[in-house]
Amino acid sequence: MRAITYHEHGGPDVLELTEVPTPEPSGKEVLVRVRAAGVNPFDFKVRAGAIPGLPSKFPSTPGSEIAGVVEAAGPDAEFAVGEEVFGWSSTGGYAEYALGWKLARKPEGLSWADAVAIPIPGEAATRALGLLDLKAGETLLVHGGSGNVGGFAVQLAASRGVTVVGTSAPGDEQIVADRGGIGVAFGDGLVERVRAVAPHVDAVLDAAGHGAVDVSLELLAAPIRLVSLVDPKAAEVGGIFTTTGSPNPAELIGEIADLVATGKMRMLPAREFPLAQAAQAQAAGEAGTGVGKIVLVP
Ligand SMILES: NC(=O)c1ccc[n+]([C@@H]2O[C@H](COP(=O)([O-])OP(=O)(O)OC[C@H]3O[C@@H](n4cnc5c(N)ncnc54)[C@H](OP(=O)(O)O)[C@@H]3O)[C@@H](O)[C@H]2O)c1
């Protein structure tokens, strides 16, 4: 099968389209014919060597998120051949076929691109909000409110009666507003812009990095209610830095998919690239310009 592989850490140009053996499912595993693969900031960080110990071996195929059709199933699998599924991959999503785990059934009517945009950001947003334990009437600041994680975080919190202020690049504030939040531009003067729309901030979710922890400390009173998905410094200042932890991720992404499929949750149009252009897709994500999930289509 065709798959993107890389043999060393480096820039996007280390990614190559190669022929590799198709994995075989055993036990509970299923082999998925990939219809869409998610491209995540995590993928660039691993490729660049920014996460010690990852990838665990070379050559490596990037990509944790897949959506596609079950092609073959191990003897104990919960899914049958032909079912449409989405979730995580254990062998790398940037490929024609991938072994799936933590999968959910894709609702009818949900596009492949929307389905594959849910697992990592949807799980992370839900986990972070759970750690913040927000109540209706409280005010939450989401750094990265225009991003993929931010998209779920803003909508989930707003739907629970929380007032949400979300940061974005200048000009992207309407994206946050369309998600039910109040959009403010990141950059110099952010603290004042937040105070102008929200005199009191109860809690902060950092889904952006770029110094968001320091900004948050100026806005929060003690004890600090700050969760960062990006910056370990959050834990050093009394908040939480989280990287994993939802007990039932497959169930959780299934619930989010139902909200999207029934129009109760909005997603931005995906930015689709052919599999062979994985390097361009990652470069586009790293550039940080543009919004919407980056998706590879084999
Ligand atoms: N720890 C975990 O478990 C976990 C899980 C998922 C994601 N993450 C991390 O969470 C982060 C967000 O992921 P994502 O998929 O949502 O990425 P994304 O879609 O690219 O969103 C990035 C967000 O950051 C904003 N941003 C860009 N440059 C910025 C700057 N200089 N200052 C402040 N904000 C800036 C973007 O604004 P514009 O779009 O308006 O430019 C956007 O809102 C990534 O670092 C990712 O690795 C962690």
Side-chain angles (χ1 to χ4, degrees):
M1 68 168 186
R2 292 180 314 138
I4 299 294
T5 54
Y6 64 115
H7 291 73
E8 58 183 341
H9 292 301
D13 56 349
V14 299
L15 301 177
E16 294 174 328
L17 185 64
T18 50
E19 276 294 326
V20 302
T22 303
E24 288 179 19
S26 62
K28 290 182 156 189
E29 292 171 338
V30 295
L31 179 70
V32 176
R33 182 162 67 87
V34 178
R35 298 293 301 270
V39 175
N40 279 282
F42 178 75
D43 307 344
F44 334 141
K45 294 176 191 179
V46 172
R47 189 212 67 225
I51 303 187
L54 294 179
S56 55
K57 64 174 175 51
F58 287 117
S60 175
T61 293
S64 310
E65 291 166 318
I66 52 170
V69 182
V70 175
E71 177 83 9
D76 305 321
E78 294 168 34
F79 298 95
V81 171
E83 282 196 284
E84 296 185 344
V85 294
F86 71 106
W88 283 261
S89 167
S90 56
T91 50
Y94 295 17
E96 284 182 294
Y97 295 92
L99 292 182
W101 66 307
K102 298 190 288 187
L103 298 174
R105 288 179 179 81
K106 182 180 83 63
E108 249 180 65
L110 187 68
S111 71
W112 295 113
D114 280 353
V116 90
I118 292 172
I120 287 185
E123 185 277 333
T126 307
R127 168 163 38 93
L129 291 178
L131 290 167
L132 287 168
D133 191 24
L134 293 153
K135 309 274 181 297
E138 290 189 316
T139 298
L140 169 71
L141 171 63
V142 178
H143 293 283
S146 52
N148 290 303
V149 174
F152 293 112
V154 170
Q155 292 181 79
L156 288 168
S159 72
R160 294 172 197 161
V162 171
T163 298
V164 186
V165 179
T167 70
S168 72
D172 286 344
E173 295 92 336
Q174 188 59 40
I175 292 173
V176 179
D178 290 344
R179 294 167 164 178
I182 303 164
V184 292
F186 59 66
D188 288 346
L190 174 58
V191 170
E192 290 69 32
R193 283 191 291 283
V194 173
R195 285 197 180 121
V197 296
H200 180 76
V201 172
D202 296 292
V204 176
L205 193 172
D206 170 22
H210 301 283
V213 167
D214 290 334
V215 169
S216 305
L217 294 177
E218 292 189 52
L219 290 160
L220 285 169
I224 298 295
R225 284 169 77 192
L226 164 67
V227 169
S228 180
L229 291 159
V230 184
D231 191 347
K233 186 177 178 185
E236 295 163 18
V237 299
I240 296 172
F241 171 58
T242 174
T243 54
T244 54
S246 293
N248 295 307
E251 193 178 317
L252 191 158
I253 63 171
E255 288 167 7
I256 294 176
D258 287 339
L259 293 174
V260 176
T262 54
K264 298 189 182 89
M265 186 170 277
R266 303 169 70 148
M267 298 185 69
L268 292 170
R271 291 177 274 169
E272 297 191 13
F273 290 77
L275 178 63
Q277 289 181 17
Q280 290 93 323
Q282 284 204 353
E286 276 179 300
T289 52
V291 291
K293 183 78 173 184
I294 299 178
V295 167
L296 291 176
V297 181

